[in-house]
Each structure stands twice: as C-alpha cells, then as structure tokens.
Amino acid sequence: MKVLVYVAAVLAICCAQDLGYIKNFRQKSNDIDFVLLEWDFVEGDSAYPLHKYTLVTDNDFREDVRCPVQHCEHTVEYLIACDEYDFTLIPVFDDTSSGETIEGTHANVTGYTSDKPPGAPRSLEVLTDDDVTLALQWQEPLVNPMCVHHYQVCFRLVGEGTSECNVTEDTTLTRAALRACGNFHVTVTPLTPSNSEGYPLQENIVTRDGTPGTPLDVTVGIITQETIDLKWNNPDVNPLCVSDYTIKYGETHTRALTHQMKAADYENHATLSPLDPCTNYTITISAVGLNGYNGPSVTNYAATEETEPDSLPSVVAKPGGTDAIDVSWGANEDDSCAGHFQICWVDGVHPVEICENITTGGDNNFTITDLLPCTHYDIAITVVSPGGLTSIPTNNATSTQDVAPGPVVDLKVKSISTDQLTITYDPPRSHPQCVKEYDIEVIDQDQTREQTLRRVTPYMDDTITGLKACTHYLVKVRAVSPTGKKGPWVDVTNVTSVATPSEPQVFGMSDVTETSISLQWFQPATNPRCATQYVLQWEGDGTSESVTISGVSDFKLTYTVEGLKACVEYTFTVKAKSSTDESAPVQLTQSTRC
C-alpha cells in the first residue's frame, strides 16, 4: 500500500514539471531485418535533464538508448521480414532534487520491415474438375511463408502463348472450369505485400474428358476428277477432346448442290480419293473424342469435275544458313493438271511478297537465297496448271539461322539514386532482328575484388537495385540472339548518390599515457563509402578542441590525441561526415595517466 502512494506522488510531481518531450517520432528507413527510427527532442525544465530513452518493441522487448542531442536515430535489428512492429519510445529524466528518474510522455510509431522473396508453393492438387468448376489446392512455401500476401494462379494451354490468371489470398482457388481434355501449364506464384514475386510452382494438369461437338464451317475445297478436298474447323464444344475425325462418303443418285464457302484459314484438311469423276457425293464428318466416342456429324455434298490442280501434299522448309532456306515438297504424281510450281515467301515485316516459278523440276527442291538472318519466313507453294489455273497454296514456315547482333546504341544512365540506377539504350543498328534478350553486367569498381551483378532482360529500360551509395559502377550491356550468340559489350560508368552514413562503430581507446590518448573506431555500418571525413572533438580541464580527419577509407581508423594533461578526464566525440551530411555522434570518456 505504501508503494502505491509513493508512485502516485512521483507521478504528481512529474505532471507538475515542464519535462522535455519527443516529437517527429517515425520510421526513417528499413530493410528485411531492421528498422531505422528517428526523432527530435524538445528540452524542458533544466532541473529535469534527459537521462536516456527506453525503446519498447511490440510491448515486449526493451532496450535503453542514449542520445544526448536534439535529433536522434536508432536501428532496431534482428527483426523478421514482411512484418509490422509497434515501437514505444519513453524519455527518462533525472530528478536533480531527489536523485530519482522520471518517465516522460511516451511516443508511439508503427514500423515495417521490407519484403523477402518467398519460396515456391508445394504439392499442387486438383480437388474438383467438372463442366462448371475447377478447384485447386496447394501448400504454402517452406521458405519465407510469412512474406506471402496472396497468390497469382495462371493457366496456359500447352502450345499457346496467352495465359489466364486469377488471384487468391488462400492456398486454394475455385474458378470456372477450363476447357475439357486440355493439357494446361499451371503456375502458382506467391506475391509479397509490395507485390514482389517469389519463386513459382509450375505443373501441368490434364482436365476432364468430354465428347466433342459438331465440326464447324465444313466446306468443299479443291475438286478434281478423282479427289474432293474437304476443310473444316474444330468444334466449339470440347475442341481439345478431338483425337481424330471420321469421314464417310458415298455416291448420291440425285444431283446435289456443292456447298462451298469463301476462302478462309481452316484448322483441318482432308482429301477424299480415289473418286470417280463427275459424280455426286454425300459426305458426313464427325469428331472422335479421346474416349473413343463420336460426336454429332455434319453432312455436305460435292461433285467431282475437271478443275484446278490439287494442292501439294506437303511442304518442308529448313534453314539453309544465315541467309538461305531449303524448301522441298511432295508432288501429286497422278494429277494431270499440274504444270509447274510457284513458290512465294514473305518475312512478315516488310509488305513485299517475292515469288519465283519452278519450271524445270529440280526434284521438288529449291533454295531461297539473299534472305535476312534471324528472320521468320512464311513460305507458300502453289501448283499451276498449263492453262494458268492455280491450286490452293500449301504453306510452311521456318527461320534463317542466327548471327550475333551488333552493339547496342546510345547506352546511358537515365537516372541514379543512392541504391539504384536506371539505364536506357536502343537496339543494335546491325542485325536488330537477331536480338532476343540483353545481357547486363553491373560491376562494383570500388571493391578490392570487383563484385559483378549479372542479369538477363528483354527490356531496353532497366532499373538495377540493391546498389551501394557513393560507389562507382561500371554497367555493361550486350545483345544476345535466340541461340545465344552475343554481340560486343557496350559500357557506361557512373557513381551512386551520396547518403548519410550511420555513426562510427565500436568507438574505444587503444592506448593511454600521461599526455596522450590513442583512439580507434570502425567505419559506419550503413553507407560506409560515403564517410569521407571524421570529426573528432574532445573536452577536458576546461578546454574544448576538435580535428577533422579527411581522405580515409580504411575499415578500422586510429587517431592519437597528444598534448593532453596528466590525471585529467577527457570526453571524446566522433562522427562520420559525408559531402552533404553527418552521422549521429558516439562518445567516450577516458583519463590520462597520472
């Protein structure tokens, strides 16, 4: 009971005094395992000088902080990445009349550590797969699971380039059903609170079975004396479940109309032969599912007659070097309408199609020359009758072989800060079509042994992060072809911006005599390369002196203060100084020998 009365009395005294207080308490910076706090102190009654600060983290961990200056900074270390922390800062004052200490007004702030990339999710499992719903489940990553804010789940049909993505904050996803019988590449990517991507889980899943629907756009193409060319598109219903097509045809005893459509791109093609000339045929086609069942059929009609030549059964195109393509094709040996061949090619970029007639046989082979390297060409071969009628072209495509691209153009540093720089450049003028990606090296030139950061990017405007302040960097860029042929390096140098160094580390005494004290300390932990000077001050025996130590870059620094008096206690203060700012000071008290 007496203790409670005493505490109440102390609080009453405290509240009656003009104690100093904290303002501007906030988080200055952070990383994956620390938060740097800063605050200002407003002095109060001189009878209650500031003794220290007590910092409480999450109402649990307490530590004392000594900072006798107006602006203070303190690093809270050994924290967990991707987490939120509550900090309470308590000023503690000396009561000069009672010899006790008094707590002042508390200051509070919330801090955050930065992200740490999570590992890949595990054990992807299909829970439900029916005509309406697809449900997936997986396990959270083993590495940094606390940094997962949500997951992005993307589905891409193998063989296609586009993906469909969904987002979930759970380790399950329920969405509309995917197409039946599809082999889908599934990517589950964890994302942090700042939307940075972790390592993805990638697996393939095969969706449920199904019976395909009716073939679409069934049409009759080229008709000759002995063949009917049939074309159609895959069904709208379960097109991925098609394993084959069943085509039935027979003679129609009454004359029927031939159903034909305008020229279009079709997904499927079949030639019915041998047929009798000048005959009406009824043709039905149905899709066969992977389960062996036929879907509904479509009926069409056609009549054979003398007409254009048959299309070539096949065209094979292969690279013949960096500027040539070798083309070969099969011929319809019994097609009396075939006269010669016309081969055409286009690169898909320039609006020019080049064609050449092949009239001398050549064993159905031809080499296209004077082409661009690293370029995709679409090739079409048409059969031309003696009278000039042409078949439907048979197509194929391939690319010429790679050559190394030239050097990138106009490489420069677009912007630079204390810890990152952005470069920009233009594609090579020589063989720009051969560029698949760019190889970038970032070299720290201020290290005794140069440190190199290597990355590959398809972009020409790239930001490089995680750099050190006050550091010279050499950035090298070269273009790389699809097969890995590399162009020459182009480089640019720059230096990151100046940042404020933290206070010198482990300030201490190494030797003492009657007239001198040898001091030592280590570079700041944060932004050490920005510390170009150290300001050393000392007071004792009624005197105050200082010295500025410049041009130092050693990790450990020593300085001997001479001309001191014996048996006198001196207070030493040292702080690191950059070209624009200076660190918080650290202090040491030491007496000379008697």
Side-chain angles (χ1 to χ4, degrees):
M1 191 68 178
K2 290 181 179 179
V3 174
L4 293 175
V5 171
Y6 172 74
V7 172
V10 171
L11 291 175
I13 293 173
C14 172
C15 297
Q17 305 307 318
D18 179 18
L19 300 178
Y21 62 91
I22 298 166
K23 69 175 184 177
N24 301 329
F25 183 38
R26 59 194 173 191
Q27 174 178 311
K28 182 177 182 180
S29 64
N30 65 349
D31 207 330
I32 61 174
D33 57 356
F34 74 81
V35 170
L36 176 61
L37 303 173
E38 67 174 355
W39 66 90
D40 296 317
F41 178 71
V42 179
E43 295 183 355
D45 191 338
S46 60
Y48 297 89
L50 177 67
H51 177 68
K52 64 177 181 180
Y53 298 93
T54 298
L55 178 64
V56 183
T57 302
D58 285 346
N59 294 320
D60 186 6
F61 298 99
R62 302 173 68 91
E63 58 178 311
D64 289 339
V65 179
R66 181 165 179 79
C67 181
V69 295
Q70 182 179 4
H71 180 77
C72 300
E73 293 183 1
H74 181 71
T75 301
V76 184
E77 299 179 306
Y78 307 112
L79 301 178
I80 299 174
C82 315
D83 209 350
E84 173 184 327
Y85 292 89
D86 293 324
F87 299 105
T88 300
L89 187 64
I90 307 169
V92 180
F93 301 90
D94 290 327
D95 185 345
T96 56
S97 62
S98 67
E100 303 291 333
T101 57
I102 303 173
E103 289 188 0
T105 302
H106 298 190
N108 298 279
V109 73
T110 299
Y112 305 87
T113 48
S114 59
D115 291 351
K116 195 172 185 180
R122 302 167 292 129
S123 305
L124 182 66
E125 180 183 356
V126 178
L127 300 180
T128 304
D129 183 16
D130 55 33
D131 291 337
V132 178
T133 301
L134 174 68
L136 300 179
Q137 176 178 279
W138 57 90
Q139 295 182 19
E140 67 178 14
L142 292 175
V143 178
N144 303 325
M146 68 288 183
C147 290
V148 179
H149 180 265
H150 61 280
Y151 297 91
Q152 178 174 270
V153 185
C154 295
F155 304 86
R156 177 178 59 81
L157 187 64
V158 174
E160 294 187 358
T162 58
S163 296
E164 181 181 350
C165 298
N166 302 94
V167 173
T168 177
E169 294 183 359
D170 299 319
T171 56
T172 60
L173 173 70
T174 300
R175 52 150 293 154
L178 298 173
R179 287 176 282 177
C181 306
N183 183 12
F184 286 89
H185 184 71
V186 183
T187 303
V188 183
T189 305
L191 290 98
T192 67
S194 66
N195 226 29
S196 297
E197 293 186 358
Y199 295 97
L201 164 64
Q202 301 188 63
E203 287 190 17
N204 284 9
I205 63 171
V206 177
T207 51
R208 69 202 176 279
D209 199 0
T211 300
T214 305
L216 300 177
D217 306 325
V218 178
T219 183
V220 173
I222 297 174
I223 301 175
T224 70
Q225 293 178 342
E226 297 180 349
T227 63
I228 295 176
D229 194 36
L230 192 65
K231 299 181 289 185
W232 66 97
N233 290 323
N234 292 327
D236 276 342
V237 178
N238 297 333
L240 301 179
C241 295
V242 177
S243 67
D244 207 344
Y245 287 91
T246 298
I247 302 175
K248 297 180 181 180
Y249 54 95
E251 184 178 348
T252 304
H253 295 287
T254 58
R255 186 76 179 178
L257 295 175
T258 299
H259 296 273
Q260 292 183 301
M261 298 179 65
K262 294 182 179 179
D265 292 329
Y266 289 88
E267 297 166 323
N268 304 285
H269 174 275
T271 299
L272 308 182
S273 67
L275 303 177
D276 295 328
C278 305
T279 302
N280 296 329
Y281 284 91
T282 300
I283 306 166
T284 62
I285 179 171
S286 61
V288 181
L290 297 172
N291 55 15
Y293 293 103
N294 282 70
S297 62
V298 175
T299 300
N300 214 329
Y301 304 93
T304 55
E305 59 183 11
E306 292 185 5
T307 184
E308 297 86 357
D310 291 339
S311 297
L312 293 177
S314 63
V315 171
V316 177
K318 297 180 180 179
T322 60
D323 63 347
I325 292 175
D326 296 326
V327 185
S328 61
W329 58 92
N332 297 308
E333 300 294 339
D334 298 327
D335 185 4
S336 58
C337 289
H340 66 277
F341 306 100
Q342 184 183 66
I343 181 169
C344 298
W345 59 93
V346 63
D347 62 11
V349 177
H350 304 89
V352 177
E353 184 181 54
I354 302 174
C355 297
E356 187 164 338
N357 290 321
I358 312 299
T359 59
T360 57
D363 296 327
N364 296 344
N365 292 287
F366 182 75
T367 298
I368 306 172
T369 58
D370 298 323
L371 303 178
L372 294 173
C374 316
T375 302
H376 179 89
Y377 285 88
D378 292 313
I379 301 166
I381 300 181
T382 304
V383 182
V384 183
S385 72
L389 298 177
T390 59
S391 71
I392 294 177
T394 302
N395 302 292
N396 208 327
T398 190
S399 299
T400 50
Q401 294 177 352
D402 285 5
V403 299
V408 300
V409 177
D410 198 23
L411 171 64
K412 57 187 175 183
V413 176
K414 183 178 180 181
S415 63
I416 192 165
S417 66
T418 58
D419 62 349
Q420 67 181 31
L421 60 83
T422 300
I423 58 172
T424 183
Y425 46 90
D426 291 327
R429 293 192 179 97
S430 174
H431 304 307
Q433 77 278 7
C434 292
V435 178
K436 176 188 177 185
E437 56 194 16
Y438 295 91
D439 197 357
I440 300 175
E441 285 189 359
V442 182
I443 301 174
D444 181 347
Q445 295 184 302
D446 293 338
Q447 289 288 105
T448 304
R449 297 177 62 185
E450 290 185 345
Q451 291 186 349
T452 301
L453 169 67
R454 188 76 175 269
R455 64 191 298 167
V456 176
T457 177
Y459 307 106
M460 289 180 291
D461 194 335
D462 194 43
T463 298
I464 300 151
T465 60
L467 305 181
K468 299 176 182 178
C470 305
T471 301
H472 294 82
Y473 284 97
L474 172 67
V475 183
K476 299 167 63 178
V477 180
R478 64 183 175 187
V480 183
S481 77
T483 60
K485 293 184 173 63
K486 299 175 177 61
W489 288 109
V490 177
D491 59 62
V492 65
T493 59
N494 214 313
V495 59
T496 47
S497 304
V498 177
T500 303
S502 59
E503 67 271 17
Q505 303 183 83
V506 195
F507 185 33
M509 181 272 296
S510 62
D511 194 15
V512 61
T513 68
E514 290 84 358
T515 59
S516 68
I517 295 176
S518 295
L519 305 171
Q520 67 178 25
W521 63 90
F522 294 85
Q523 277 187 339
T526 303
N527 302 321
R529 293 179 181 172
C530 295
T532 57
Q533 294 180 332
Y534 293 90
V535 179
L536 178 65
Q537 298 175 313
W538 61 91
E539 297 178 355
D541 196 33
T543 63
S544 177
E545 295 185 56
S546 66
V547 65
T548 299
I549 305 167
S550 302
V552 290
S553 59
D554 296 335
F555 180 65
K556 179 180 179 182
L557 298 103
T558 60
Y559 188 85
T560 300
V561 181
E562 299 179 331
L564 304 178
K565 294 181 179 181
C567 304
V568 173
E569 183 181 85
Y570 289 87
T571 299
F572 298 89
T573 302
V574 66
K575 50 189 173 182
K577 188 175 182 180
S578 71
S579 61
T580 60
D581 206 349
E582 61 184 23
S583 73
V586 291
Q587 273 191 348
L588 170 69
T589 300
Q590 177 65 42
S591 297
T592 52
R593 290 183 178 177
C594 296

